[in-house]
Amino acid sequence: MKLTLIGKIFDGERVIPKGTVVVEDDKIVDVIEGEENSRASSKTIYADLIMPGLIDAHLHFFGVEEDNVLSWNIVNEIDVAIRSTRDMETLLRSGFTTVRDLGSKVAVRLDRLQRRGEIIGPRVIASGYSLAITGGNDDPKELPLDFAQSISYSFYCDSPYECRKAVRKAIRQGATVIKVYSSGAFSQGGRILPGFALDELKAIVEESHRAGLLVASHAYGKEALMNSIMAGVDTIEHGLGLDEETAQMIKERGICYIPTLATYQIPFESVNPEAKMYREEMIRRHFNEDMKIAVEHGLKIATGTDYVGSKKRPHGQNYIEAVLLSRYMSNIDALRASTSVASECLGLRNVGYIRAGFKADLIAVRGDPLASLEELSPSHIMYVVKDGKIYRGYGNYSEE
């Protein structure tokens, strides 16, 4: 099938005031600048803006209602599968053609099913189970250890040897990225719980890179940031506590920074007032000093929401991360963070741009996100093209 899209184009890097994108089968075959170019096509789409499909570089398909560690682990897996299948379609019709799941029980299978055409959704870069220390961030400590491990979406590992084996187990599941916890959460007394030690992280990175997989590191605080950098991870997730020294090191090593601002807008419930107070102060700093430092140092910043598919963090509203990034950078840079920069951070070579030879992953938008990022909301997504197939977006309900 041949498809043409006509209108203003953001190609992932620059703006073309008027042009035509020609799609044949699953590839972009031509991008023509200037006046409207008519070609014989089975369908022509006119849009205010044509741009690459959006990318969320950090989310989870948890399929939960209540949003907490215990619920993420004990939720019925049939419920997770059904809800996550629904969330896949929601994401696609909201303009997301690629997402990266950094720890869940179903993402590897979701990607396999969408590639087979059995479900509708974005392509999923999936970590399978994440890697965590025993008693760490995602270990539901209310439960006996053996039972907690048996129902967890993380492999617990506690030595360089065990960490290498855990990487291999994730690869056996079908992982296409490895997710690690370089730090834990917040504890009483105003401190961040530790995650993997440096020797463990180095083992994880070495084993992952041997298999050709990138490593994404959950990092809160300077110790976790430094360990992540020294171990050679590829992306730093959250990155709370960034300072001038760590930012310079991240820049020098070409590591991507994914600040997941959207998740920190959600009210945090904790029975521990000290931990809550410390977390709120770290988040306040994240929205101010951390982001200022990241932008001033020219870090590669990509969009990632850490949304999980709960009532508080629902899939479909993931465009909010681009809106939040526009507080610190121009709208066009926020669009780059959502497309071309995110594709680079995920190690993808044929998406994130509108260029001849690239995958036909496009969205047709009503309105101009270059003027306001709010116009990336689902109500403005008219059509989504993924792998050359056309899907109606949520801004296009009125059409047959």
Side-chain angles (χ1 to χ4, degrees):
M1 184 190 77
K2 186 174 282 187
L3 165 71
T4 58
L5 301 95
I6 298 171
K8 186 177 180 178
I9 299 169
F10 167 68
D11 72 357
E13 185 174 21
R14 65 190 182 99
V15 176
I16 301 169
K18 178 95 176 183
T20 302
V21 182
V22 183
V23 171
E24 194 164 347
D25 298 324
D26 65 342
K27 294 285 195 302
I28 298 167
V29 296
D30 207 353
V31 182
I32 305 158
E33 299 187 33
E35 293 303 311
E36 180 177 322
N37 189 290
S38 60
R39 288 197 178 193
S41 298
S42 56
K43 186 173 181 65
T44 299
I45 294 173
Y46 294 86
D48 294 327
L49 184 71
I50 302 156
M51 61 176 285
L54 298 169
I55 297 173
D56 189 325
H58 185 139
L59 55 67
H60 302 269
F61 288 106
F62 281 160
V64 291
E65 292 183 304
E66 293 186 22
D67 199 349
N68 55 61
V69 172
L70 185 60
S71 293
W72 302 339
N73 283 276
I74 67 172
V75 62
N76 184 283
E77 292 188 25
I78 296 174
D79 292 351
V80 175
I82 293 170
R83 291 168 179 164
S84 296
T85 300
R86 174 200 64 200
D87 286 342
M88 284 279 283
E89 182 170 356
T90 297
L91 280 160
L92 184 71
R93 296 192 189 278
S94 299
F96 286 84
T97 54
T98 303
V99 300
R100 185 172 65 161
D101 178 292
L102 291 180
S104 74
K105 299 178 182 180
V106 297
V108 168
R109 304 299 302 182
L110 290 173
D111 185 59
R112 188 170 300 173
L113 291 172
Q114 72 83 22
R115 283 189 282 109
R116 289 165 58 102
E118 295 184 41
I119 62 173
I120 293 172
R123 72 179 49 78
V124 184
I125 311 301
S127 71
Y129 285 16
S130 47
L131 275 56
I133 65 171
T134 301
N137 199 65
D138 283 6
D139 180 350
K141 289 171 277 296
E142 302 92 335
L143 305 175
L145 177 58
D146 289 347
F147 180 60
Q149 174 66 102
S150 72
I151 64 168
S152 180
Y153 58 88
S154 290
F155 291 125
Y156 304 160
C157 43
D158 304 292
S159 70
Y161 170 82
E162 288 188 359
C163 288
R164 286 184 186 275
K165 185 172 183 179
V167 171
R168 295 171 186 176
K169 288 166 70 175
I171 292 170
R172 184 180 185 275
Q173 288 181 323
T176 47
V177 63
I178 299 297
K179 159 69 177 298
V180 302
Y181 284 96
S182 297
S183 72
F186 300 93
S187 72
Q188 188 171 0
R191 62 184 293 267
I192 298 166
L193 293 170
F196 287 113
L198 180 56
D199 61 340
E200 294 169 322
L201 281 173
K202 284 183 174 179
I204 291 168
V205 171
E206 181 181 329
E207 194 64 32
S208 302
H209 287 178
R210 284 182 66 222
L213 301 187
L214 302 181
V215 179
S217 175
H218 166 116
Y220 285 2
K222 185 155 185 175
E223 178 183 354
L225 286 165
M226 289 294 291
N227 283 346
S228 299
I229 295 164
M230 298 307 295
V233 306
D234 302 285
T235 67
I236 287 177
E237 312 297 315
H238 316 302
L240 276 68
L242 188 73
D243 62 12
E244 299 284 345
E245 181 184 15
T246 50
Q248 184 61 35
M249 295 173 72
I250 289 169
K251 173 70 173 178
E252 290 170 354
R253 288 161 174 77
I255 299 169
C256 290
Y257 185 72
I258 303 174
T260 64
L261 300 172
T263 197
Y264 299 117
Q265 287 197 312
I266 310 302
F268 176 68
E269 297 176 6
S270 174
V271 296
N272 185 330
E274 287 184 273
K276 183 175 182 179
M277 185 181 303
Y278 183 54
R279 181 183 188 274
E280 288 175 350
E281 174 55 27
M282 287 285 288
I283 290 170
R284 183 208 62 76
R285 188 186 187 283
H286 193 50
F287 274 90
N288 293 282
E289 289 91 332
D290 291 2
M291 288 306 301
K292 181 180 178 182
I293 291 169
V295 172
E296 286 179 348
H297 281 263
L299 302 190
K300 288 185 287 188
I301 299 172
T303 45
T305 59
D306 201 17
Y307 278 12
V308 302
S310 64
K311 291 178 180 178
K312 290 183 178 180
R313 292 188 281 175
H315 291 311
Q317 297 300 306
N318 309 61
Y319 79 98
I320 289 171
E321 185 71 12
V323 175
L324 294 172
L325 285 180
S326 69
R327 296 179 183 178
Y328 313 97
M329 58 181 69
S330 66
N331 286 356
I332 193 169
D333 281 337
L335 289 179
R336 290 174 181 135
S338 308
T339 55
S340 55
V341 175
S343 70
E344 179 186 351
C345 291
L346 270 56
L348 303 175
R349 295 181 175 85
N350 59 356
V351 301
Y353 290 92
I354 298 179
R355 292 179 179 171
F358 274 57
K359 282 279 189 184
D361 282 11
L362 312 163
I363 56 176
V365 183
R366 184 184 66 237
D368 189 0
L370 289 158
S372 170
L373 270 300
E374 287 290 349
E375 295 190 2
L376 279 182
S377 71
S379 63
H380 287 266
I381 307 301
M382 303 301 293
Y383 289 98
V384 180
V385 180
K386 178 184 172 290
D387 291 332
K389 295 181 181 179
I390 307 170
Y391 301 89
R392 191 167 61 179
Y394 282 126
N396 198 9
Y397 271 151
S398 61
E399 293 198 11
E400 294 297 326

